[in-house]
Amino acid sequence: YTSYPTAPHFHAGVTGEVVVGWMSAIAEGDRLSLYVHVPFCDRLCWFCACHTKQTLRYEPVAEFLKSLIAEVRMAGEKVAGRGKVAALHFGGGSPTMLRPDDLRALMAALRESFAFLPDASISVEIDPNDMDEAKLDALAEVGLTRASLGIQDFDERVQKAINREQSFADTKWVVDGLRARGVASVNLDVLYGLPHQTRESVAATIGQVLTLRPDRIALFGYAHVPWFK
């Protein structure tokens, strides 16, 4: 889950005091999962209903990061060293919008505030268009164990229709760069039900995806929810 309890279980009775009570009830031997959400993208994919906002300036991201690190430290104080983090996932939005030094600072705050298991899973959602060598290096330095890359479809006509133009070559460069840095697991996201897709075009995309030898493929059906987003 990217939130727990899941969204339908939240209601007006879930107050700050209730949440603190949950955190205070964490026991010494409990395994913890952390989800860190970065609600910014430098482009909006038109199929996506995630909570995010487009920005072409880094200042809003930097300001958000200050609040995020403050929240990390506050949550760490409530947990008070109990439990061990078994899984950490960075999602969004596009967490790979974070600059390398900011990613390192965020990870340092997390490790200072929570106890991590030596074999903790650390995963991140990656927009290949955001990536360069410095960001790949930073992801490896913070201990990334699994990368999840959004592909959706490699057909150029589909990509233009969903505002997600991303070449196979750029995607392969990121996958190869991650593996060269010791990232053990790569997940690739694919969508069906998008504009202009056919059975044949989806099969062609899957064929290209398989040449990248992913450890996991997440195949989603497009959800059309115009009343929501």
Side-chain angles (χ1 to χ4, degrees):
Y1 296 107
T2 53
S3 64
Y4 190 83
T6 50
H9 293 87
F10 279 95
H11 51 78
V14 182
T15 63
E17 290 74 18
V18 170
V19 174
V20 169
W22 291 339
M23 298 171 78
S24 300
I26 292 172
E28 190 67 36
D30 286 348
R31 292 167 64 89
L32 308 181
S33 293
L34 303 180
Y35 174 68
V36 178
H37 189 82
V38 180
F40 295 98
C41 296
D42 49 18
R43 61 175 176 174
L44 292 181
C45 302
W46 294 334
F47 62 85
C48 178
C50 293
H51 181 73
T52 189
K53 178 180 181 180
Q54 183 180 19
T55 179
L56 298 178
R57 298 184 302 113
Y58 195 71
E59 289 82 1
V61 182
E63 283 300 308
F64 168 78
L65 191 62
K66 293 177 186 176
S67 297
L68 176 59
I69 289 176
E71 184 174 354
V72 166
R73 289 175 174 153
M74 181 174 63
E77 289 173 3
K78 301 300 181 187
V79 173
R82 299 183 305 275
K84 297 290 188 292
V85 175
L88 165 64
H89 183 70
F90 295 96
S94 299
T96 47
M97 280 191 69
L98 293 177
R99 291 175 177 170
D101 284 346
D102 284 342
L103 177 62
R104 293 184 186 99
L106 175 56
M107 192 67 206
L110 286 159
R111 289 194 180 276
E112 289 166 4
S113 301
F114 296 91
F116 280 69
L117 290 170
D119 61 346
S121 168
I122 299 175
S123 56
V124 64
E125 295 171 17
I126 293 177
D127 179 352
N129 292 280
D130 289 338
M131 299 304 293
D132 55 27
E133 296 280 0
K135 288 185 178 181
L136 287 170
D137 289 341
L139 288 173
E141 287 174 31
V142 302
L144 184 68
T145 61
R146 184 170 75 87
S148 182
L149 281 73
I151 289 175
Q152 321 321 334
D153 194 294
F154 280 126
D155 185 289
E156 290 183 6
R157 190 166 66 142
V158 176
Q159 289 183 353
K160 288 179 180 177
I162 63 175
N163 200 39
R164 177 78 184 204
E165 296 185 57
Q166 172 183 320
S167 72
F168 175 82
D170 287 344
T171 306
K172 185 178 186 302
W173 180 84
V174 174
V175 171
D176 290 345
L178 290 164
R179 288 189 171 132
R181 289 164 174 81
V183 177
S185 180
V186 173
N187 168 75
L188 302 177
D189 290 347
V190 182
L191 266 174
Y192 63 89
L194 295 172
H196 307 301
Q197 282 183 322
T198 64
R199 288 184 176 88
E200 292 75 20
S201 72
V202 172
T205 286
I206 293 295
Q208 290 176 287
V209 164
L210 291 175
T211 68
L212 299 173
R213 297 178 293 108
D215 302 273
R216 180 175 178 268
I217 296 173
L219 179 64
F220 298 101
Y222 166 67
H224 192 59
V225 288
W227 58 92
F228 173 64
K229 198 167 188 180

